[in-house]
Amino acid sequence: MSRLALIGLALLAAGCSRDVSGNAAVTLRVVLTTPNSGQDGSTVLTLTGPDVPRSVAAIAGLQLWGGPVTSSSSTVALTGTLTSGTILTFETDARYADQFTATLREVANSDSTVALRDLAGYSVAVMP
């Protein structure tokens, strides 16, 4: 590969890690802790921060509802088999990375009753 092509690829890669304002972008994860791993079928959570998150996406195996996310405080739902670990990813300006929070609103079981769970023992956190 020519030197010019390598420089072009490097510049393209550098450009992909910047947001529209020219600041560095970072991908954050919403991590769920559940005492019923594999037995939960849906959750509703609110994502809040100083900026509108971009590229909000559920992990493979989960379906995101409530998008597109267009405000700095947005409520979304996820359906599918929930386990402890990353359930959602999004991008933001790196300056705001430590200012995002997620609040768990509801969790429902995965059987035919779709009963709401008591949230004791559940938690969500936004992590790099």
Side-chain angles (χ1 to χ4, degrees):
M1 186 177 280
S2 76
R3 181 178 252 189
L4 186 55
L6 288 173
I7 291 171
L9 285 173
L11 289 174
L12 180 62
C16 291
S17 65
R18 301 278 174 187
D19 71 7
V20 292
S21 65
N23 295 310
V26 62
T27 299
L28 298 177
R29 304 174 298 126
V30 176
V31 177
L32 171 71
T33 300
T34 169
N36 298 300
S37 193
Q39 299 172 19
D40 297 321
S42 63
T43 186
V44 175
L45 60 93
T46 301
L47 188 59
T48 306
D51 192 22
V52 177
R54 296 176 302 279
S55 304
V56 179
I59 64 155
L62 298 180
Q63 177 69 44
L64 174 67
W65 302 90
V69 174
T70 58
S71 70
S72 60
S73 181
S74 297
T75 300
V76 297
L78 294 162
T79 57
T81 303
L82 298 169
T83 58
S84 290
T86 301
I87 57 172
L88 189 72
T89 61
F90 66 94
E91 291 181 0
T92 189
D93 182 316
R95 298 175 298 168
Y96 305 131
D98 62 348
Q99 298 175 45
F100 275 88
T101 61
T103 304
L104 198 58
R105 313 298 276 184
E106 296 177 342
V107 175
N109 67 21
S110 59
D111 69 20
S112 61
T113 65
V114 192
L116 292 178
R117 301 263 198 206
D118 178 346
L119 294 180
Y122 287 86
S123 66
V124 286
V126 176
M127 304 175 83

